[in-house]
PDB file of all heavy atoms in Angstrom:
ATOM      1  N   SER A 292      -4.448  -1.793 -16.492  1.00 88.00           N
ATOM      2  CA  SER A 292      -5.829  -1.922 -16.029  1.00 88.00           C
ATOM      3  C   SER A 292      -6.735  -2.313 -17.196  1.00 88.00           C
ATOM      4  O   SER A 292      -6.351  -2.218 -18.362  1.00 88.00           O
ATOM      5  CB  SER A 292      -6.308  -0.608 -15.410  1.00 88.00           C
ATOM      6  OG  SER A 292      -6.462   0.364 -16.420  1.00 88.00           O
ATOM      7  N   VAL A 293      -7.944  -2.714 -16.878  1.00 92.00           N
ATOM      8  CA  VAL A 293      -8.913  -3.070 -17.916  1.00 92.00           C
ATOM      9  C   VAL A 293      -9.213  -1.848 -18.780  1.00 92.00           C
ATOM     10  O   VAL A 293      -9.266  -1.943 -20.010  1.00 92.00           O
ATOM     11  CB  VAL A 293     -10.209  -3.631 -17.285  1.00 92.00           C
ATOM     12  CG1 VAL A 293     -11.279  -3.835 -18.329  1.00 92.00           C
ATOM     13  CG2 VAL A 293      -9.920  -4.927 -16.550  1.00 92.00           C
ATOM     14  N   LYS A 294      -9.357  -0.699 -18.150  1.00 92.00           N
ATOM     15  CA  LYS A 294      -9.642   0.529 -18.894  1.00 92.00           C
ATOM     16  C   LYS A 294      -8.491   0.862 -19.851  1.00 92.00           C
ATOM     17  O   LYS A 294      -8.719   1.211 -21.010  1.00 92.00           O
ATOM     18  CB  LYS A 294      -9.863   1.682 -17.920  1.00 92.00           C
ATOM     19  CG  LYS A 294     -10.284   2.966 -18.577  1.00 92.00           C
ATOM     20  CD  LYS A 294     -10.591   4.031 -17.540  1.00 92.00           C
ATOM     21  CE  LYS A 294     -11.056   5.303 -18.197  1.00 92.00           C
ATOM     22  NZ  LYS A 294     -11.395   6.332 -17.215  1.00 92.00           N
ATOM     23  N   ASP A 295      -7.254   0.728 -19.367  1.00 89.00           N
ATOM     24  CA  ASP A 295      -6.095   0.971 -20.229  1.00 89.00           C
ATOM     25  C   ASP A 295      -6.042  -0.027 -21.375  1.00 89.00           C
ATOM     26  O   ASP A 295      -5.739   0.318 -22.509  1.00 89.00           O
ATOM     27  CB  ASP A 295      -4.797   0.899 -19.428  1.00 89.00           C
ATOM     28  CG  ASP A 295      -4.637   2.039 -18.446  1.00 89.00           C
ATOM     29  OD1 ASP A 295      -5.253   3.105 -18.665  1.00 89.00           O
ATOM     30  OD2 ASP A 295      -3.909   1.865 -17.455  1.00 89.00           O
ATOM     31  N   SER A 296      -6.340  -1.280 -21.075  1.00 88.00           N
ATOM     32  CA  SER A 296      -6.336  -2.336 -22.098  1.00 88.00           C
ATOM     33  C   SER A 296      -7.359  -2.045 -23.189  1.00 88.00           C
ATOM     34  O   SER A 296      -7.067  -2.200 -24.382  1.00 88.00           O
ATOM     35  CB  SER A 296      -6.624  -3.682 -21.443  1.00 88.00           C
ATOM     36  OG  SER A 296      -6.758  -4.679 -22.397  1.00 88.00           O
ATOM     37  N   LEU A 297      -8.532  -1.613 -22.789  1.00 92.00           N
ATOM     38  CA  LEU A 297      -9.567  -1.274 -23.767  1.00 92.00           C
ATOM     39  C   LEU A 297      -9.149  -0.076 -24.620  1.00 92.00           C
ATOM     40  O   LEU A 297      -9.393  -0.043 -25.826  1.00 92.00           O
ATOM     41  CB  LEU A 297     -10.898  -0.996 -23.062  1.00 92.00           C
ATOM     42  CG  LEU A 297     -11.553  -2.212 -22.402  1.00 92.00           C
ATOM     43  CD1 LEU A 297     -12.754  -1.788 -21.569  1.00 92.00           C
ATOM     44  CD2 LEU A 297     -11.950  -3.230 -23.449  1.00 92.00           C
ATOM     45  N   TYR A 298      -8.505   0.901 -23.997  1.00 93.00           N
ATOM     46  CA  TYR A 298      -8.054   2.068 -24.748  1.00 93.00           C
ATOM     47  C   TYR A 298      -6.969   1.680 -25.745  1.00 93.00           C
ATOM     48  O   TYR A 298      -6.957   2.158 -26.883  1.00 93.00           O
ATOM     49  CB  TYR A 298      -7.555   3.170 -23.805  1.00 93.00           C
ATOM     50  CG  TYR A 298      -7.232   4.442 -24.533  1.00 93.00           C
ATOM     51  CD1 TYR A 298      -8.251   5.223 -25.076  1.00 93.00           C
ATOM     52  CD2 TYR A 298      -5.924   4.849 -24.710  1.00 93.00           C
ATOM     53  CE1 TYR A 298      -7.967   6.381 -25.774  1.00 93.00           C
ATOM     54  CE2 TYR A 298      -5.626   6.013 -25.408  1.00 93.00           C
ATOM     55  CZ  TYR A 298      -6.659   6.767 -25.933  1.00 93.00           C
ATOM     56  OH  TYR A 298      -6.375   7.907 -26.629  1.00 93.00           O
ATOM     57  N   LEU A 299      -6.052   0.804 -25.331  1.00 92.00           N
ATOM     58  CA  LEU A 299      -5.015   0.334 -26.252  1.00 92.00           C
ATOM     59  C   LEU A 299      -5.632  -0.415 -27.431  1.00 92.00           C
ATOM     60  O   LEU A 299      -5.203  -0.249 -28.578  1.00 92.00           O
ATOM     61  CB  LEU A 299      -4.016  -0.557 -25.518  1.00 92.00           C
ATOM     62  CG  LEU A 299      -3.091   0.170 -24.539  1.00 92.00           C
ATOM     63  CD1 LEU A 299      -2.365  -0.832 -23.646  1.00 92.00           C
ATOM     64  CD2 LEU A 299      -2.113   1.058 -25.274  1.00 92.00           C
ATOM     65  N   SER A 300      -6.641  -1.225 -27.161  1.00 93.00           N
ATOM     66  CA  SER A 300      -7.341  -1.933 -28.247  1.00 93.00           C
ATOM     67  C   SER A 300      -7.999  -0.938 -29.195  1.00 93.00           C
ATOM     68  O   SER A 300      -7.956  -1.122 -30.421  1.00 93.00           O
ATOM     69  CB  SER A 300      -8.412  -2.861 -27.671  1.00 93.00           C
ATOM     70  OG  SER A 300      -7.828  -3.881 -26.917  1.00 93.00           O
ATOM     71  N   ASP A 301      -8.592   0.097 -28.643  1.00 95.00           N
ATOM     72  CA  ASP A 301      -9.209   1.139 -29.475  1.00 95.00           C
ATOM     73  C   ASP A 301      -8.161   1.836 -30.341  1.00 95.00           C
ATOM     74  O   ASP A 301      -8.393   2.074 -31.529  1.00 95.00           O
ATOM     75  CB  ASP A 301      -9.921   2.174 -28.612  1.00 95.00           C
ATOM     76  CG  ASP A 301     -11.233   1.676 -28.030  1.00 95.00           C
ATOM     77  OD1 ASP A 301     -11.742   0.650 -28.516  1.00 95.00           O
ATOM     78  OD2 ASP A 301     -11.744   2.317 -27.085  1.00 95.00           O
ATOM     79  N   MET A 302      -7.007   2.165 -29.753  1.00 95.00           N
ATOM     80  CA  MET A 302      -5.962   2.841 -30.536  1.00 95.00           C
ATOM     81  C   MET A 302      -5.492   1.960 -31.689  1.00 95.00           C
ATOM     82  O   MET A 302      -5.275   2.462 -32.801  1.00 95.00           O
ATOM     83  CB  MET A 302      -4.769   3.212 -29.644  1.00 95.00           C
ATOM     84  CG  MET A 302      -5.009   4.408 -28.777  1.00 95.00           C
ATOM     85  SD  MET A 302      -3.493   5.094 -28.056  1.00 95.00           S
ATOM     86  CE  MET A 302      -2.828   3.723 -27.168  1.00 95.00           C
ATOM     87  N   LEU A 303      -5.329   0.669 -31.439  1.00 95.00           N
ATOM     88  CA  LEU A 303      -4.933  -0.239 -32.511  1.00 95.00           C
ATOM     89  C   LEU A 303      -6.000  -0.280 -33.601  1.00 95.00           C
ATOM     90  O   LEU A 303      -5.687  -0.228 -34.796  1.00 95.00           O
ATOM     91  CB  LEU A 303      -4.685  -1.643 -31.957  1.00 95.00           C
ATOM     92  CG  LEU A 303      -3.406  -1.804 -31.128  1.00 95.00           C
ATOM     93  CD1 LEU A 303      -3.401  -3.151 -30.430  1.00 95.00           C
ATOM     94  CD2 LEU A 303      -2.176  -1.650 -32.000  1.00 95.00           C
ATOM     95  N   ALA A 304      -7.254  -0.347 -33.196  1.00 96.00           N
ATOM     96  CA  ALA A 304      -8.357  -0.394 -34.163  1.00 96.00           C
ATOM     97  C   ALA A 304      -8.423   0.896 -34.978  1.00 96.00           C
ATOM     98  O   ALA A 304      -8.615   0.856 -36.203  1.00 96.00           O
ATOM     99  CB  ALA A 304      -9.682  -0.648 -33.447  1.00 96.00           C
ATOM    100  N   TRP A 305      -8.259   2.051 -34.332  1.00 97.00           N
ATOM    101  CA  TRP A 305      -8.317   3.332 -35.042  1.00 97.00           C
ATOM    102  C   TRP A 305      -7.209   3.412 -36.084  1.00 97.00           C
ATOM    103  O   TRP A 305      -7.442   3.859 -37.210  1.00 97.00           O
ATOM    104  CB  TRP A 305      -8.173   4.503 -34.072  1.00 97.00           C
ATOM    105  CG  TRP A 305      -9.277   4.631 -33.074  1.00 97.00           C
ATOM    106  CD1 TRP A 305     -10.587   4.280 -33.244  1.00 97.00           C
ATOM    107  CD2 TRP A 305      -9.164   5.138 -31.754  1.00 97.00           C
ATOM    108  NE1 TRP A 305     -11.293   4.549 -32.095  1.00 97.00           N
ATOM    109  CE2 TRP A 305     -10.453   5.072 -31.162  1.00 97.00           C
ATOM    110  CE3 TRP A 305      -8.108   5.638 -30.991  1.00 97.00           C
ATOM    111  CZ2 TRP A 305     -10.690   5.492 -29.862  1.00 97.00           C
ATOM    112  CZ3 TRP A 305      -8.357   6.051 -29.703  1.00 97.00           C
ATOM    113  CH2 TRP A 305      -9.637   5.980 -29.147  1.00 97.00           C
ATOM    114  N   ASN A 306      -6.007   3.008 -35.707  1.00 97.00           N
ATOM    115  CA  ASN A 306      -4.898   3.053 -36.650  1.00 97.00           C
ATOM    116  C   ASN A 306      -5.095   2.077 -37.795  1.00 97.00           C
ATOM    117  O   ASN A 306      -4.801   2.394 -38.948  1.00 97.00           O
ATOM    118  CB  ASN A 306      -3.571   2.804 -35.941  1.00 97.00           C
ATOM    119  CG  ASN A 306      -3.054   4.041 -35.247  1.00 97.00           C
ATOM    120  OD1 ASN A 306      -2.649   4.984 -35.905  1.00 97.00           O
ATOM    121  ND2 ASN A 306      -3.094   4.048 -33.934  1.00 97.00           N
ATOM    122  N   LEU A 307      -5.604   0.891 -37.504  1.00 97.00           N
ATOM    123  CA  LEU A 307      -5.845  -0.097 -38.553  1.00 97.00           C
ATOM    124  C   LEU A 307      -6.897   0.407 -39.545  1.00 97.00           C
ATOM    125  O   LEU A 307      -6.728   0.282 -40.762  1.00 97.00           O
ATOM    126  CB  LEU A 307      -6.261  -1.430 -37.951  1.00 97.00           C
ATOM    127  CG  LEU A 307      -6.402  -2.595 -38.906  1.00 97.00           C
ATOM    128  CD1 LEU A 307      -5.089  -2.860 -39.634  1.00 97.00           C
ATOM    129  CD2 LEU A 307      -6.859  -3.841 -38.160  1.00 97.00           C
ATOM    130  N   ILE A 308      -7.944   1.009 -39.035  1.00 97.00           N
ATOM    131  CA  ILE A 308      -8.984   1.570 -39.916  1.00 97.00           C
ATOM    132  C   ILE A 308      -8.407   2.686 -40.776  1.00 97.00           C
ATOM    133  O   ILE A 308      -8.681   2.769 -41.973  1.00 97.00           O
ATOM    134  CB  ILE A 308     -10.188   2.067 -39.079  1.00 97.00           C
ATOM    135  CG1 ILE A 308     -10.947   0.878 -38.500  1.00 97.00           C
ATOM    136  CG2 ILE A 308     -11.109   2.952 -39.909  1.00 97.00           C
ATOM    137  CD1 ILE A 308     -11.984   1.244 -37.459  1.00 97.00           C
ATOM    138  N   ALA A 309      -7.572   3.541 -40.174  1.00 97.00           N
ATOM    139  CA  ALA A 309      -6.962   4.632 -40.934  1.00 97.00           C
ATOM    140  C   ALA A 309      -6.047   4.091 -42.034  1.00 97.00           C
ATOM    141  O   ALA A 309      -6.024   4.634 -43.146  1.00 97.00           O
ATOM    142  CB  ALA A 309      -6.183   5.555 -39.996  1.00 97.00           C
TER     143      ALA A 309
END
Side-chain angles (χ1 to χ4, degrees):
S292 70
V293 173
K294 185 175 182 178
D295 291 336
S296 174
L297 292 172
Y298 187 70
L299 289 167
S300 295
D301 286 345
M302 283 195 302
L303 287 170
W305 296 329
N306 280 290
L307 186 59
I308 289 169

